[in-house]
Amino acid sequence: MDKTVSEKKPIREYKKHQENLKCILQYSNASMIRGKDAEGYGCNFCPKRFPIPHDLKSHFLLEHNKVSLTKLPKFTDYLLKLDITHLKCRLCEKLFSSLDSFCTHLGNDHKKILHTDIKNEIIPFKFESETLQCAVCSAIFTNFKILQEHMHVHFSNYQCEVCCAGFISRRRLVGHQRRHGNTAAPCSHCAKVFSCDQKRRDHEQRIHLGLKKRNKCRFCDEKFADYWTKVDHMVKEHGLPRVVLKCQACDRTFENKRALTRHVKKDHLMERKHVCNVCDMRFYLKHRLKDHMLVHSGEKQFQCHVCSRWYATKKSVRQHLRSHADDRRHACTLCVQAFVQQNTLKNHMRAKHDEKLC
């Protein structure tokens, strides 16, 4: 006996992703991106690569657009990348600034069916200028790989319960969770979490209790809890050449791995885990969020001893005191002006010289 409509087997999730992708490709000028390497941006349907995204888009629309509607590549984790530069509806020629608004338009205005009961795992990219910009928040990047990593910030569909890291797809999350192991062992002194009790004990003994210092200096008998503290010791005490680590996404250099990692997360991946529950502003450091909350409470506990004005934080008072001392340490490199605060310099560079400071 035939099954009724209500008894039919539900469509599997990966099938819904493919049907949504087909609908978008059929009714728009969006094109697919496989990835990018030293030879350029790769096509999903043939081995060709192109130095600039515009050429890949033209190639895809001319040679593969119709094929893609009947024979999509096999995606193992649904990490779908679309070029939505100058996104346009084929049915009415209307232009759209985002993929979400286009999908809403297809459903409301053209009655096309898209599955909305699944998490969006289609990552949009725009190439409207010579610089690489995020299609969601317009943050600027110098490396396509770093831009892809940044997109996890906007598409945190699945979150790790151990470290709160966000991921676009479930498969990416599962791969990440394997690093934690089956058992979560939190440190009793700090916020770090380890995959087993042995790793947690080693960490506590080395970092918090000063035991098991495994990093021995090559020139003397002194031992250190971590590698970079040992390196710093050898540079200062034994004249070892200073280590220089270069960021792969910009020209900045760092003297230790910890500083480089923090820079990449904060300035390139735009990681902002600490969220204000009042205005949704995000911060990389927890204490920055704490300072920001004073804006909403209006609380001012710190007073200037020169003019008696009140401020919310000690840092604000210190910055304010520079104005009394005429300490203009932030100088413009393009003109003779100098400023008390760095934010004032940034506003000046943007307004007067049309340049943006990082």
Tab-separated table of all heavy atoms in Angstrom, residues 2 93 120 269:
chain	number	residue	atom	x	y	z
A	2	ASP	N	0.497	2.246	-0.802
A	2	ASP	CA	1.284	3.478	-0.884
A	2	ASP	C	1.202	4.247	0.423
A	2	ASP	O	0.163	4.298	1.078
A	2	ASP	CB	0.758	4.373	-2.025
A	2	ASP	CG	1.016	3.737	-3.372
A	2	ASP	OD1	1.936	2.898	-3.447
A	2	ASP	OD2	0.290	4.074	-4.328
A	93	GLU	N	15.316	40.988	-12.116
A	93	GLU	CA	16.483	41.857	-12.256
A	93	GLU	C	16.750	42.751	-11.039
A	93	GLU	O	17.549	43.676	-11.110
A	93	GLU	CB	16.351	42.753	-13.511
A	93	GLU	CG	16.217	41.999	-14.814
A	93	GLU	CD	17.464	41.158	-15.127
A	93	GLU	OE1	18.567	41.690	-15.045
A	93	GLU	OE2	17.299	39.965	-15.435
A	120	ASN	N	21.585	28.010	8.388
A	120	ASN	CA	22.211	28.477	7.152
A	120	ASN	C	23.707	28.166	7.171
A	120	ASN	O	24.445	28.651	8.021
A	120	ASN	CB	22.001	29.980	6.993
A	120	ASN	CG	22.639	30.499	5.721
A	120	ASN	OD1	22.839	29.747	4.765
A	120	ASN	ND2	22.966	31.770	5.698
A	269	LEU	N	40.699	37.545	12.868
A	269	LEU	CA	39.511	36.700	12.957
A	269	LEU	C	38.350	37.445	13.588
A	269	LEU	O	37.208	36.968	13.586
A	269	LEU	CB	39.814	35.441	13.781
A	269	LEU	CG	40.895	34.520	13.209
A	269	LEU	CD1	41.044	33.284	14.085
A	269	LEU	CD2	40.570	34.122	11.787
